[in-house]
Amino acid sequence: MGSSSARLPSTPTGNSLSAAELTCGMILSLARQIPQAAASMKDRKWDRKKFLGMELHGKTLGILGLGRIGREVATRMQAFGMKTIGYDPIVSPEDSAAFGVQQLPLEQIWPLCDFITVHTPLLPSTTGLLNDSTFAKCRPGVQVVNCARGGIVDEGALLRALQSGQCGGAALDVFTQEPPQDRALVNHPNVISCPHLGASTREAQSRCGREIALQFVDLAQGKAPAGVVNSQALSSALQPHCQPWIALAEALGLLLQTLAGPVKGSVQVSTLGAPLQKAGTYLSPAVATGLLDGAGHKHVNLVNGLLLAQEAGVQLTATHSAMVPESYRGASLLQLALPGTSTRLVGSVQGSTPVLQELNGATFRQPVPLTGPLLLYRAGAADASPLPAVLGLLGKAGAELHSYHGSCPVGGSVWSVLGLSAAGVALGEVKQHVAEAFQLTL
């Protein structure tokens, strides 16, 4: 369960200045048509009237994404007298105001901008951020810069906006396909294009190499590497005492998705017990990983789990209590709950094995190891045990019973969890004998 691929350190500060400076150069080039004028001169022409430009002073620059690069662009273009407005769902309006950017909703930004530059990661919510609809809301002749990621600007929509005049010019350092096979944008007279040169400076390459080396040193020393989103989760994953808890969090996340999926909205992640006081920083991403794995998402890991969960409409909220219920004899616990419902999972770690202690209020007489193929079902406490019928279905499917755990009765029902040799039991046939049934592999 989970991702087995290696996670390479990122170097967000290493190329920030170079990418910001390239963006500023693109804005200047668009305003004064510098590349086109230079090409005209090389063609032995002297077309002063053809290349009538505009001043940047007094123009409005919209910056979408106010991280390191976005803020560096903002401070530099303010020196040209540009008014800088922007949008970032993570950076607070107070923080952006400190470097001179007024934050506005996207719908208010489009019609105000003379220039728009994007500095966001490529996510489902940012793919095609500039599209036919948003171009229609922009000022006629708006100038667009993308030195971030290909795909943030819908290339087909951009070409249509250029052809209609709604977009007056574009400067592109990145493309959906690199190198671009469709040359329509590259060949357009109002487009300035570069072959992904954002980090292509001697200084950036030197800084990136140094930062990568220092991050590997930090990882080897057990420190959280700087510049990695959810770096605490990544560094904790390398600590032996944290690994069983991360496995528990992923398992409970997958189990929650299996029982209550599709999970949307809020998920409460609670750690109980003093030893887990700071564990929420790495257990919440692990829960997100399990949730998204259970929903069929690919390439989810501790680094991107929380962000991808947010994109999928899931918001994880972490809380901690030093107090543990007496019935658990002081063991540290991890609890997942869906607010407003009865869905709740409680787990712990025994030795190095993640175990399930409680399911929807039903406490198991013995903790359930969360490993391998599992079959879970709920049946009436007063009804005849469905276990013989279920065992017959296991034999029919060629699966062996490795373990059985039953819960104490709650609300007139009992939960049973069967550890199996293999998955693939006909769940529809099991459901004929029980109130509800689920299966998963951990």
Side-chain angles (χ1 to χ4, degrees), residues 141-171:
V142 66
Q143 310 275 321
V144 174
V145 179
N146 185 7
C147 293
R149 290 288 182 270
I152 299 173
V153 178
D154 183 313
E155 292 177 357
L158 174 59
L159 182 60
R160 289 187 287 273
L162 286 163
Q163 292 169 339
S164 70
Q166 182 66 15
C167 177

PDB file of all heavy atoms in Angstrom, residues 141-171:
ATOM      1  N   GLY A 141      -6.901  42.957 -25.575  1.00  0.00           N
ATOM      2  CA  GLY A 141      -5.476  43.205 -25.755  1.00  0.00           C
ATOM      3  C   GLY A 141      -4.611  42.816 -24.581  1.00  0.00           C
ATOM      4  O   GLY A 141      -3.422  43.167 -24.550  1.00  0.00           O
ATOM      5  N   VAL A 142      -5.160  42.084 -23.607  1.00  0.00           N
ATOM      6  CA  VAL A 142      -4.378  41.675 -22.437  1.00  0.00           C
ATOM      7  C   VAL A 142      -3.137  40.896 -22.874  1.00  0.00           C
ATOM      8  O   VAL A 142      -3.156  40.156 -23.867  1.00  0.00           O
ATOM      9  CB  VAL A 142      -5.255  40.829 -21.484  1.00  0.00           C
ATOM     10  CG1 VAL A 142      -5.657  39.504 -22.132  1.00  0.00           C
ATOM     11  CG2 VAL A 142      -4.533  40.576 -20.164  1.00  0.00           C
ATOM     12  N   GLN A 143      -2.051  41.089 -22.139  1.00  0.00           N
ATOM     13  CA  GLN A 143      -0.791  40.402 -22.430  1.00  0.00           C
ATOM     14  C   GLN A 143      -0.583  39.292 -21.388  1.00  0.00           C
ATOM     15  O   GLN A 143      -0.781  39.521 -20.188  1.00  0.00           O
ATOM     16  CB  GLN A 143       0.378  41.386 -22.355  1.00  0.00           C
ATOM     17  CG  GLN A 143       0.170  42.672 -23.150  1.00  0.00           C
ATOM     18  CD  GLN A 143       0.553  42.520 -24.606  1.00  0.00           C
ATOM     19  OE1 GLN A 143       1.531  41.864 -24.953  1.00  0.00           O
ATOM     20  NE2 GLN A 143      -0.214  43.168 -25.489  1.00  0.00           N
ATOM     21  N   VAL A 144      -0.179  38.113 -21.832  1.00  0.00           N
ATOM     22  CA  VAL A 144      -0.107  36.940 -20.962  1.00  0.00           C
ATOM     23  C   VAL A 144       1.306  36.375 -20.947  1.00  0.00           C
ATOM     24  O   VAL A 144       1.949  36.239 -21.994  1.00  0.00           O
ATOM     25  CB  VAL A 144      -1.100  35.854 -21.434  1.00  0.00           C
ATOM     26  CG1 VAL A 144      -0.920  34.568 -20.624  1.00  0.00           C
ATOM     27  CG2 VAL A 144      -2.541  36.362 -21.306  1.00  0.00           C
ATOM     28  N   VAL A 145       1.787  36.029 -19.740  1.00  0.00           N
ATOM     29  CA  VAL A 145       3.109  35.432 -19.567  1.00  0.00           C
ATOM     30  C   VAL A 145       2.965  34.117 -18.818  1.00  0.00           C
ATOM     31  O   VAL A 145       2.307  34.063 -17.774  1.00  0.00           O
ATOM     32  CB  VAL A 145       4.061  36.364 -18.788  1.00  0.00           C
ATOM     33  CG1 VAL A 145       5.428  35.706 -18.595  1.00  0.00           C
ATOM     34  CG2 VAL A 145       4.202  37.706 -19.500  1.00  0.00           C
ATOM     35  N   ASN A 146       3.572  33.066 -19.330  1.00  0.00           N
ATOM     36  CA  ASN A 146       3.620  31.781 -18.619  1.00  0.00           C
ATOM     37  C   ASN A 146       5.040  31.259 -18.610  1.00  0.00           C
ATOM     38  O   ASN A 146       5.539  30.747 -19.616  1.00  0.00           O
ATOM     39  CB  ASN A 146       2.685  30.754 -19.264  1.00  0.00           C
ATOM     40  CG  ASN A 146       2.633  29.445 -18.467  1.00  0.00           C
ATOM     41  OD1 ASN A 146       3.196  29.352 -17.371  1.00  0.00           O
ATOM     42  ND2 ASN A 146       1.956  28.445 -19.001  1.00  0.00           N
ATOM     43  N   CYS A 147       5.691  31.435 -17.465  1.00  0.00           N
ATOM     44  CA  CYS A 147       7.023  30.857 -17.248  1.00  0.00           C
ATOM     45  C   CYS A 147       6.954  29.816 -16.141  1.00  0.00           C
ATOM     46  O   CYS A 147       7.969  29.518 -15.502  1.00  0.00           O
ATOM     47  CB  CYS A 147       8.024  31.943 -16.872  1.00  0.00           C
ATOM     48  SG  CYS A 147       8.376  33.108 -18.191  1.00  0.00           S
ATOM     49  N   ALA A 148       5.751  29.279 -15.897  1.00  0.00           N
ATOM     50  CA  ALA A 148       5.552  28.349 -14.785  1.00  0.00           C
ATOM     51  C   ALA A 148       5.465  26.903 -15.270  1.00  0.00           C
ATOM     52  O   ALA A 148       6.447  26.160 -15.210  1.00  0.00           O
ATOM     53  CB  ALA A 148       4.302  28.736 -14.002  1.00  0.00           C
ATOM     54  N   ARG A 149       4.294  26.506 -15.750  1.00  0.00           N
ATOM     55  CA  ARG A 149       4.076  25.143 -16.219  1.00  0.00           C
ATOM     56  C   ARG A 149       3.179  25.165 -17.446  1.00  0.00           C
ATOM     57  O   ARG A 149       2.172  25.862 -17.487  1.00  0.00           O
ATOM     58  CB  ARG A 149       3.416  24.282 -15.130  1.00  0.00           C
ATOM     59  CG  ARG A 149       4.316  23.966 -13.940  1.00  0.00           C
ATOM     60  CD  ARG A 149       5.401  22.962 -14.318  1.00  0.00           C
ATOM     61  NE  ARG A 149       6.242  22.597 -13.186  1.00  0.00           N
ATOM     62  CZ  ARG A 149       7.344  23.215 -12.834  1.00  0.00           C
ATOM     63  NH1 ARG A 149       7.745  24.282 -13.538  1.00  0.00           N
ATOM     64  NH2 ARG A 149       8.062  22.823 -11.814  1.00  0.00           N
ATOM     65  N   GLY A 150       3.542  24.365 -18.450  1.00  0.00           N
ATOM     66  CA  GLY A 150       2.686  24.227 -19.608  1.00  0.00           C
ATOM     67  C   GLY A 150       1.356  23.618 -19.221  1.00  0.00           C
ATOM     68  O   GLY A 150       1.317  22.657 -18.452  1.00  0.00           O
ATOM     69  N   GLY A 151       0.271  24.163 -19.735  1.00  0.00           N
ATOM     70  CA  GLY A 151      -1.062  23.659 -19.419  1.00  0.00           C
ATOM     71  C   GLY A 151      -1.850  24.577 -18.519  1.00  0.00           C
ATOM     72  O   GLY A 151      -3.083  24.480 -18.462  1.00  0.00           O
ATOM     73  N   ILE A 152      -1.172  25.475 -17.773  1.00  0.00           N
ATOM     74  CA  ILE A 152      -1.915  26.435 -16.956  1.00  0.00           C
ATOM     75  C   ILE A 152      -2.697  27.370 -17.859  1.00  0.00           C
ATOM     76  O   ILE A 152      -3.830  27.747 -17.565  1.00  0.00           O
ATOM     77  CB  ILE A 152      -0.958  27.208 -16.031  1.00  0.00           C
ATOM     78  CG1 ILE A 152      -0.241  26.250 -15.069  1.00  0.00           C
ATOM     79  CG2 ILE A 152      -1.709  28.278 -15.250  1.00  0.00           C
ATOM     80  CD1 ILE A 152       0.832  26.905 -14.237  1.00  0.00           C
ATOM     81  N   VAL A 153      -2.087  27.751 -18.963  1.00  0.00           N
ATOM     82  CA  VAL A 153      -2.779  28.520 -19.993  1.00  0.00           C
ATOM     83  C   VAL A 153      -3.222  27.544 -21.083  1.00  0.00           C
ATOM     84  O   VAL A 153      -2.395  26.831 -21.654  1.00  0.00           O
ATOM     85  CB  VAL A 153      -1.861  29.602 -20.601  1.00  0.00           C
ATOM     86  CG1 VAL A 153      -2.592  30.364 -21.698  1.00  0.00           C
ATOM     87  CG2 VAL A 153      -1.379  30.557 -19.512  1.00  0.00           C
ATOM     88  N   ASP A 154      -4.517  27.485 -21.332  1.00  0.00           N
ATOM     89  CA  ASP A 154      -5.047  26.616 -22.380  1.00  0.00           C
ATOM     90  C   ASP A 154      -4.503  27.118 -23.724  1.00  0.00           C
ATOM     91  O   ASP A 154      -4.837  28.226 -24.160  1.00  0.00           O
ATOM     92  CB  ASP A 154      -6.573  26.667 -22.357  1.00  0.00           C
ATOM     93  CG  ASP A 154      -7.213  25.739 -23.374  1.00  0.00           C
ATOM     94  OD1 ASP A 154      -6.773  25.731 -24.545  1.00  0.00           O
ATOM     95  OD2 ASP A 154      -8.166  25.035 -23.023  1.00  0.00           O
ATOM     96  N   GLU A 155      -3.665  26.316 -24.373  1.00  0.00           N
ATOM     97  CA  GLU A 155      -2.974  26.784 -25.562  1.00  0.00           C
ATOM     98  C   GLU A 155      -3.929  27.025 -26.726  1.00  0.00           C
ATOM     99  O   GLU A 155      -3.740  27.963 -27.511  1.00  0.00           O
ATOM    100  CB  GLU A 155      -1.871  25.785 -25.937  1.00  0.00           C
ATOM    101  CG  GLU A 155      -0.750  25.764 -24.897  1.00  0.00           C
ATOM    102  CD  GLU A 155       0.322  24.720 -25.197  1.00  0.00           C
ATOM    103  OE1 GLU A 155       0.171  23.965 -26.182  1.00  0.00           O
ATOM    104  OE2 GLU A 155       1.322  24.665 -24.436  1.00  0.00           O
ATOM    105  N   GLY A 156      -4.965  26.208 -26.847  1.00  0.00           N
ATOM    106  CA  GLY A 156      -5.944  26.434 -27.899  1.00  0.00           C
ATOM    107  C   GLY A 156      -6.711  27.727 -27.674  1.00  0.00           C
ATOM    108  O   GLY A 156      -6.942  28.507 -28.613  1.00  0.00           O
ATOM    109  N   ALA A 157      -7.096  27.974 -26.441  1.00  0.00           N
ATOM    110  CA  ALA A 157      -7.824  29.205 -26.110  1.00  0.00           C
ATOM    111  C   ALA A 157      -6.929  30.424 -26.313  1.00  0.00           C
ATOM    112  O   ALA A 157      -7.392  31.474 -26.777  1.00  0.00           O
ATOM    113  CB  ALA A 157      -8.326  29.138 -24.669  1.00  0.00           C
ATOM    114  N   LEU A 158      -5.648  30.285 -25.960  1.00  0.00           N
ATOM    115  CA  LEU A 158      -4.716  31.394 -26.148  1.00  0.00           C
ATOM    116  C   LEU A 158      -4.584  31.736 -27.621  1.00  0.00           C
ATOM    117  O   LEU A 158      -4.604  32.919 -28.009  1.00  0.00           O
ATOM    118  CB  LEU A 158      -3.353  31.034 -25.559  1.00  0.00           C
ATOM    119  CG  LEU A 158      -2.221  32.051 -25.796  1.00  0.00           C
ATOM    120  CD1 LEU A 158      -2.589  33.417 -25.216  1.00  0.00           C
ATOM    121  CD2 LEU A 158      -0.909  31.536 -25.200  1.00  0.00           C
ATOM    122  N   LEU A 159      -4.470  30.734 -28.465  1.00  0.00           N
ATOM    123  CA  LEU A 159      -4.341  30.988 -29.905  1.00  0.00           C
ATOM    124  C   LEU A 159      -5.594  31.676 -30.442  1.00  0.00           C
ATOM    125  O   LEU A 159      -5.504  32.628 -31.229  1.00  0.00           O
ATOM    126  CB  LEU A 159      -4.096  29.670 -30.642  1.00  0.00           C
ATOM    127  CG  LEU A 159      -3.886  29.780 -32.156  1.00  0.00           C
ATOM    128  CD1 LEU A 159      -2.676  30.656 -32.481  1.00  0.00           C
ATOM    129  CD2 LEU A 159      -3.726  28.396 -32.775  1.00  0.00           C
ATOM    130  N   ARG A 160      -6.758  31.232 -29.989  1.00  0.00           N
ATOM    131  CA  ARG A 160      -8.004  31.860 -30.445  1.00  0.00           C
ATOM    132  C   ARG A 160      -8.078  33.314 -29.969  1.00  0.00           C
ATOM    133  O   ARG A 160      -8.532  34.204 -30.708  1.00  0.00           O
ATOM    134  CB  ARG A 160      -9.207  31.063 -29.947  1.00  0.00           C
ATOM    135  CG  ARG A 160      -9.386  29.718 -30.649  1.00  0.00           C
ATOM    136  CD  ARG A 160     -10.674  29.032 -30.256  1.00  0.00           C
ATOM    137  NE  ARG A 160     -10.625  28.496 -28.900  1.00  0.00           N
ATOM    138  CZ  ARG A 160     -10.152  27.299 -28.591  1.00  0.00           C
ATOM    139  NH1 ARG A 160      -9.661  26.509 -29.533  1.00  0.00           N
ATOM    140  NH2 ARG A 160     -10.162  26.868 -27.338  1.00  0.00           N
ATOM    141  N   ALA A 161      -7.635  33.565 -28.736  1.00  0.00           N
ATOM    142  CA  ALA A 161      -7.657  34.930 -28.208  1.00  0.00           C
ATOM    143  C   ALA A 161      -6.677  35.822 -28.965  1.00  0.00           C
ATOM    144  O   ALA A 161      -6.947  37.010 -29.201  1.00  0.00           O
ATOM    145  CB  ALA A 161      -7.333  34.914 -26.712  1.00  0.00           C
ATOM    146  N   LEU A 162      -5.528  35.280 -29.362  1.00  0.00           N
ATOM    147  CA  LEU A 162      -4.559  36.038 -30.155  1.00  0.00           C
ATOM    148  C   LEU A 162      -5.117  36.364 -31.537  1.00  0.00           C
ATOM    149  O   LEU A 162      -4.968  37.473 -32.048  1.00  0.00           O
ATOM    150  CB  LEU A 162      -3.257  35.242 -30.285  1.00  0.00           C
ATOM    151  CG  LEU A 162      -2.376  35.162 -29.044  1.00  0.00           C
ATOM    152  CD1 LEU A 162      -1.372  34.022 -29.173  1.00  0.00           C
ATOM    153  CD2 LEU A 162      -1.637  36.494 -28.834  1.00  0.00           C
ATOM    154  N   GLN A 163      -5.779  35.389 -32.123  1.00  0.00           N
ATOM    155  CA  GLN A 163      -6.311  35.582 -33.473  1.00  0.00           C
ATOM    156  C   GLN A 163      -7.444  36.603 -33.489  1.00  0.00           C
ATOM    157  O   GLN A 163      -7.622  37.336 -34.458  1.00  0.00           O
ATOM    158  CB  GLN A 163      -6.790  34.242 -34.034  1.00  0.00           C
ATOM    159  CG  GLN A 163      -5.647  33.273 -34.314  1.00  0.00           C
ATOM    160  CD  GLN A 163      -6.124  31.856 -34.615  1.00  0.00           C
ATOM    161  OE1 GLN A 163      -7.246  31.477 -34.260  1.00  0.00           O
ATOM    162  NE2 GLN A 163      -5.281  31.065 -35.270  1.00  0.00           N
ATOM    163  N   SER A 164      -8.204  36.661 -32.390  1.00  0.00           N
ATOM    164  CA  SER A 164      -9.319  37.609 -32.331  1.00  0.00           C
ATOM    165  C   SER A 164      -8.890  38.980 -31.845  1.00  0.00           C
ATOM    166  O   SER A 164      -9.646  39.946 -31.976  1.00  0.00           O
ATOM    167  CB  SER A 164     -10.404  37.068 -31.393  1.00  0.00           C
ATOM    168  OG  SER A 164      -9.962  37.104 -30.032  1.00  0.00           O
ATOM    169  N   GLY A 165      -7.690  39.082 -31.272  1.00  0.00           N
ATOM    170  CA  GLY A 165      -7.229  40.334 -30.715  1.00  0.00           C
ATOM    171  C   GLY A 165      -7.580  40.514 -29.251  1.00  0.00           C
ATOM    172  O   GLY A 165      -7.186  41.509 -28.626  1.00  0.00           O
ATOM    173  N   GLN A 166      -8.336  39.580 -28.671  1.00  0.00           N
ATOM    174  CA  GLN A 166      -8.656  39.674 -27.246  1.00  0.00           C
ATOM    175  C   GLN A 166      -7.394  39.603 -26.403  1.00  0.00           C
ATOM    176  O   GLN A 166      -7.277  40.262 -25.369  1.00  0.00           O
ATOM    177  CB  GLN A 166      -9.638  38.560 -26.852  1.00  0.00           C
ATOM    178  CG  GLN A 166     -10.079  38.579 -25.394  1.00  0.00           C
ATOM    179  CD  GLN A 166     -10.912  39.801 -25.038  1.00  0.00           C
ATOM    180  OE1 GLN A 166     -11.395  40.510 -25.921  1.00  0.00           O
ATOM    181  NE2 GLN A 166     -11.071  40.067 -23.747  1.00  0.00           N
ATOM    182  N   CYS A 167      -6.437  38.811 -26.873  1.00  0.00           N
ATOM    183  CA  CYS A 167      -5.102  38.773 -26.264  1.00  0.00           C
ATOM    184  C   CYS A 167      -4.149  39.491 -27.217  1.00  0.00           C
ATOM    185  O   CYS A 167      -4.045  39.128 -28.390  1.00  0.00           O
ATOM    186  CB  CYS A 167      -4.642  37.341 -26.020  1.00  0.00           C
ATOM    187  SG  CYS A 167      -2.968  37.196 -25.361  1.00  0.00           S
ATOM    188  N   GLY A 168      -3.455  40.511 -26.699  1.00  0.00           N
ATOM    189  CA  GLY A 168      -2.581  41.295 -27.559  1.00  0.00           C
ATOM    190  C   GLY A 168      -1.210  40.710 -27.751  1.00  0.00           C
ATOM    191  O   GLY A 168      -0.500  41.045 -28.705  1.00  0.00           O
ATOM    192  N   GLY A 169      -0.805  39.791 -26.872  1.00  0.00           N
ATOM    193  CA  GLY A 169       0.507  39.177 -26.993  1.00  0.00           C
ATOM    194  C   GLY A 169       0.719  38.182 -25.874  1.00  0.00           C
ATOM    195  O   GLY A 169       0.088  38.260 -24.812  1.00  0.00           O
ATOM    196  N   ALA A 170       1.609  37.232 -26.101  1.00  0.00           N
ATOM    197  CA  ALA A 170       1.898  36.216 -25.095  1.00  0.00           C
ATOM    198  C   ALA A 170       3.379  35.899 -25.111  1.00  0.00           C
ATOM    199  O   ALA A 170       4.026  35.919 -26.171  1.00  0.00           O
ATOM    200  CB  ALA A 170       1.086  34.946 -25.358  1.00  0.00           C
ATOM    201  N   ALA A 171       3.900  35.633 -23.923  1.00  0.00           N
ATOM    202  CA  ALA A 171       5.293  35.215 -23.773  1.00  0.00           C
ATOM    203  C   ALA A 171       5.301  33.882 -23.051  1.00  0.00           C
ATOM    204  O   ALA A 171       4.808  33.781 -21.926  1.00  0.00           O
ATOM    205  CB  ALA A 171       6.083  36.260 -22.988  1.00  0.00           C
TER     206      ALA A 171
END
